[in-house]
């Protein structure tokens, strides 16, 4: 049942790291399992669903007799791959990892135009979440209750028709005119070495 949701549209391609105009890039290659997990994460699947979808692909043998495929992938293995990529992208959350991947052009979301605007108060909340802040930190920064932060995020997820915030961030990076910050995350934090 879950696999059919991803069959309807092609998986996003995780691209090779690009050197940005400012000269920043990630130096390590993204592994195949990391790319596969990330591409499924932005289609609004959780780790358990990703493992189920990946395991539904039959094993196959190439001309050399080597088995290709990822049969036996577990939700824990998916989480490990995503957390490994998260650390290398210097992200604190999966949402921030997706935001960073979009900003660094590892993920190129399809272009879209919003027919109705997003709630004005919700967009800054989502940007702070994409920047790696927790709901509690955002509530303090915006001087609202944590419940209000949750309502803002739920409103955006509902508008973007996603269950998860990483998928909403991915989709919003494709919106024209831009809704989320698209500047280099390294320049934005001043961590340039």
């Amino acid at each position: 049942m879950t696999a059919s949701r991803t069959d309807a549209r092609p998986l996003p391609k995780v691209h090779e790291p690009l050197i940005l105009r400012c000269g920043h890039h990630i130096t390590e290659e993204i592994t195949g399992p990391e790319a596969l997990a990330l591409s499924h994460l932005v289609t609004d699947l959780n780790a358990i669903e990703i493992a189920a979808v990946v395991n539904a692909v039959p094993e196959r043998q190439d001309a050399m007799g080597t088995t290709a495929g990822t049969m036996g992938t577990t939700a824990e293995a998916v989480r490990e791959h995503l957390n490994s990529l998260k650390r290398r992208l210097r992200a604190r959350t999966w949402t921030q990892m997706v935001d960073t991947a979009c900003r660094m052009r590892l993920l190129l979301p399809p272009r879209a135009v919003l027919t109705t605007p997003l709630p004005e108060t919700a967009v800054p909340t989502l940007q702070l979440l994409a920047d790696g802040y927790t709901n509690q930190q955002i509530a303090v920064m915006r001087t609202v209750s944590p419940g209000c932060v949750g309502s803002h995020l739920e409103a955006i997820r509902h508008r973007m028709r996603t269950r998860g915030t990483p998928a909403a961030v991915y989709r919003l990076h494709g919106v024209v005119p831009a809704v989320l910050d698209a500047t280099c995350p390294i320049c934005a934090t001043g961590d340039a070495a």
Side-chain angles (χ1 to χ4, degrees):
M1 179 172 163
T2 308
S4 64
R5 284 190 21 226
T6 59
D7 293 340
R9 57 194 135 144
L11 277 178
K13 183 178 187 314
V14 178
H15 298 271
E16 291 297 317
L18 300 176
I19 297 176
L20 301 177
R21 286 188 193 119
C22 59
H24 293 121
H25 62 285
I26 60 172
T27 56
E28 301 172 44
E29 284 188 31
I30 295 176
T31 66
E34 289 171 344
L36 184 63
L38 181 61
S39 65
H40 279 296
L41 179 67
V42 299
T43 62
D44 209 17
L45 297 180
N46 63 36
I48 295 168
E49 294 167 332
I50 293 169
V53 168
V54 170
N55 288 332
V57 176
E59 283 189 310
R60 58 194 181 282
Q61 288 192 343
D62 62 17
M64 303 292 284
T66 307
T67 302
T70 51
M71 294 292 289
T73 297
T74 63
E76 188 56 38
V78 170
R79 285 185 201 98
E80 286 175 20
H81 293 305
L82 289 170
N83 287 332
S84 170
L85 182 57
K86 181 179 76 171
R87 281 188 298 277
R88 286 194 284 129
L89 292 178
R90 296 187 231 164
R92 292 178 287 241
T93 64
W94 288 359
T95 301
Q96 186 182 20
M97 173 183 65
V98 169
D99 179 61
T100 301
C102 289
R103 288 180 182 201
M104 297 195 90
R105 309 299 187 262
L106 296 173
L107 286 171
L108 300 174
R111 293 291 171 222
V113 175
L114 293 175
T115 54
T116 57
L118 294 168
E120 250 180 63
T121 56
V123 175
T125 300
L126 183 65
Q127 182 64 61
L128 288 170
L129 190 71
D131 289 340
Y133 294 101
T134 65
N135 287 12
Q136 286 288 355
Q137 292 169 324
I138 295 168
V140 170
M141 292 168 75
R142 303 217 48 227
T143 61
V144 296
S145 72
C148 187
V149 171
S151 295
H152 288 166
L153 298 175
E154 183 57 37
I156 293 216
R157 284 191 299 265
H158 179 73
R159 274 286 276 114
M160 300 311 294
R161 296 186 179 133
T162 65
R163 294 175 300 154
T165 311
V169 166
Y170 171 73
R171 290 181 185 175
L172 281 173
H173 267 288
V175 169
V176 178
V179 174
L180 294 177
D181 184 10
T183 59
C184 170
I186 298 170
C187 290
T189 60
D191 288 344

